[in-house]
Amino acid sequence: MAFRTARNLAYFSNYIRNYSTNGPLVNVTVNEKSGFATATLQRPSVNSLNLELLTEISHTLQQLEKNKCRGLILTSASNKVFSAGLDLFELHKPNADKIKQMWSTLQEVWIKLYGSSYPTVAVVNGHAPAGGCMLALSCEYRVMLNNFIIGLNEAQIGFSAPMWLIDGMRNTIGSRQAEFALTAGTLFKTEEALKIGLVDEVAQSKEEAIEKAEKFLNKFAKIPPHARSMTKAALRGANIQALVRNKDEEVRSYVDFVTDSQFQDSLGEFIELNLKQKLSK
Ligand SMILES: CCCCC/C=C\CCCC/C=C/C(=O)SCCNC(=O)CCNC(=O)[C@H](O)C(C)(C)COP(=O)(O)OP(=O)(O)OC[C@H]1O[C@@H](n2cnc3c(N)ncnc32)[C@H](O)[C@@H]1OP(=O)(O)O
């Protein structure tokens, strides 16, 4: 087992430090005492998920799995936005090959994070709409700071969340609440999200949120890791397998959907109405 000896731990920490120097969009640090890794998303200004950020998240998750990470805290370098979801400017008038890769990498991120063998917590220290909520939902526990929003607002933008993301929402807040939330594309304030179980705890500061996250991760200190991960796989495996089976077909449908002129028109309108930065005409 990694981390059993100080030498292993030091090796892993160095490895991660080296890795993080290669990854400017995701900073990874390891607490040498607890062995917990913190992955901080740092793509200015709102961690919108473009191909480069998604690729780096995917590589990070792969390395953490390979190095038998003891627990992951996923958070943001911004104190306003956890992640604004998919980069809407990259979805507008896109290059089909690039968005094909983007969607496929998003699926990989979900598979690796939702299915990780190690425990995961999202410290949601800013707004988390759509893909931001997806990242938080794929963790096992969510601690959110006050006065932000979280939810799957895809319906408001003009599309449906994919099946695996609907599954993630349903598994977290139950079918009835998921139906209400998804059909209206609701974005919940922190306190509302706590009430429906979309987040597990509220914190007043990032430090407090990290403490709560570590407390959650420490709950597993005495549980054999293989028993924990087998149980997690039993609970989440069917949803992951459903995506794995349908992966290529979903990428094709997604590319067709996003390149369609009707979607492009409604995306253009959404950007003009909702985002400060406008489209160049
Ligand atoms: C099988 C076929 C399936 C087909 C289904 C198709 C697709 C399903 C996709 C499902 C999965 C995920 C979907 C998504 O993630 S879609 C993205 C949705 N995101 C949003 O709706 C968020 C929009 N942004 C906001 O609401 C706000 O910006 C905020 C995140 C709440 C932050 O607010 P605030 O602090 O006031 O910041 P600003 O609004 O001033 O924004 C700062 C700068 O960031 C730019 N920005 C914001 N969001 C995005 C984004 N998503 N992409 C790119 N850029 C973004 C904004 O323009 C500002 O830019 P500036 O600094 O240059 O002015």
Side-chain angles (χ1 to χ4, degrees):
M1 275 261 329
F3 301 117
R4 202 160 260 173
T5 64
R7 202 165 142 239
N8 275 346
L9 184 57
Y11 169 80
F12 181 54
S13 306
N14 282 336
Y15 180 80
I16 285 289
R17 272 190 214 113
N18 290 340
Y19 177 73
S20 67
T21 56
N22 295 329
L25 304 178
V26 183
N27 180 55
V28 183
T29 56
V30 178
N31 179 323
E32 304 205 355
K33 219 164 145 196
S34 65
F36 300 148
T38 300
T40 304
L41 308 180
Q42 53 185 23
R43 178 173 183 243
S45 58
V46 290
N47 287 321
S48 60
L49 301 168
N50 67 348
L51 179 58
E52 289 70 23
L53 178 55
L54 285 167
T55 303
E56 218 175 292
I57 298 173
S58 180
H59 284 164
T60 301
L61 296 170
Q62 196 168 327
Q63 296 307 327
L64 293 174
E65 195 66 65
K66 194 169 135 195
N67 288 285
K68 299 199 166 40
C69 168
R70 285 203 48 218
L72 168 68
I73 297 173
L74 180 67
T75 190
S76 163
S78 157
N79 57 10
K80 277 171 73 182
V81 182
F82 175 72
S83 165
L86 292 182
D87 190 320
L88 292 173
F89 292 97
E90 298 215 359
L91 293 188
H92 190 250
K93 298 191 180 156
N95 168 307
D97 269 352
K98 191 159 183 194
I99 55 162
K100 190 172 163 191
Q101 280 182 59
M102 192 170 157
W103 192 258
S104 165
T105 313
L106 181 77
Q107 292 172 325
E108 286 296 327
V109 166
W110 171 265
I111 291 168
K112 287 175 188 162
L113 190 53
Y114 197 65
S116 75
S117 64
Y118 49 84
T120 51
V121 185
V123 163
V124 186
N125 58 327
H127 299 299
C133 179
M134 178 218 90
L135 289 174
L137 270 178
S138 41
C139 292
E140 290 166 40
Y141 200 71
R142 284 154 289 283
V143 185
M144 186 165 173
L145 268 65
N146 251 319
N147 302 318
F148 293 119
I149 50 155
I150 183 167
L152 297 176
N153 59 329
E154 281 78 357
Q156 285 191 41
I157 312 175
F159 46 79
S160 159
M163 199 55 220
W164 43 273
L165 188 49
I166 294 177
D167 284 339
M169 189 72 157
R170 213 189 251 151
N171 294 344
T172 307
I173 63 172
S175 285
R176 185 83 178 124
Q177 287 294 347
E179 186 171 314
F180 283 137
L182 286 158
T183 50
T186 311
L187 289 169
F188 298 92
K189 292 189 186 127
T190 305
E191 286 299 336
E192 297 167 335
L194 181 70
K195 266 192 207 139
I196 61 161
L198 183 53
V199 301
D200 300 291
E201 288 195 75
V202 174
Q204 304 308 320
S205 66
K206 189 167 182 185
E207 292 68 34
E208 188 192 342
I210 298 278
E211 266 173 42
K212 286 177 187 276
E214 286 174 343
K215 198 169 164 197
F216 173 78
L217 294 175
N218 274 322
K219 282 187 182 167
F220 303 110
K222 292 191 178 139
I223 309 290
H226 68 279
R228 209 203 84 85
S229 64
M230 273 168 63
T231 310
K232 180 172 172 179
L235 287 160
R236 297 188 171 198
N239 296 137
I240 294 171
Q241 284 314 313
L243 168 58
V244 169
R245 281 194 300 274
N246 193 36
K247 212 166 169 285
D248 295 344
E249 178 54 37
E250 188 187 90
V251 171
R252 278 192 286 277
S253 321
Y254 172 73
V255 173
D256 288 348
F257 183 86
V258 168
T259 50
D260 187 80
S261 61
Q262 211 176 333
F263 174 78
Q264 285 297 317
D265 289 348
S266 63
L267 177 63
E269 273 170 37
F270 183 87
I271 292 176
E272 292 301 312
L273 273 174
N274 293 284
L275 297 189
K276 285 197 186 131
Q277 189 185 331
K278 304 296 175 202
L279 298 166
S280 48
K281 301 281 175 198

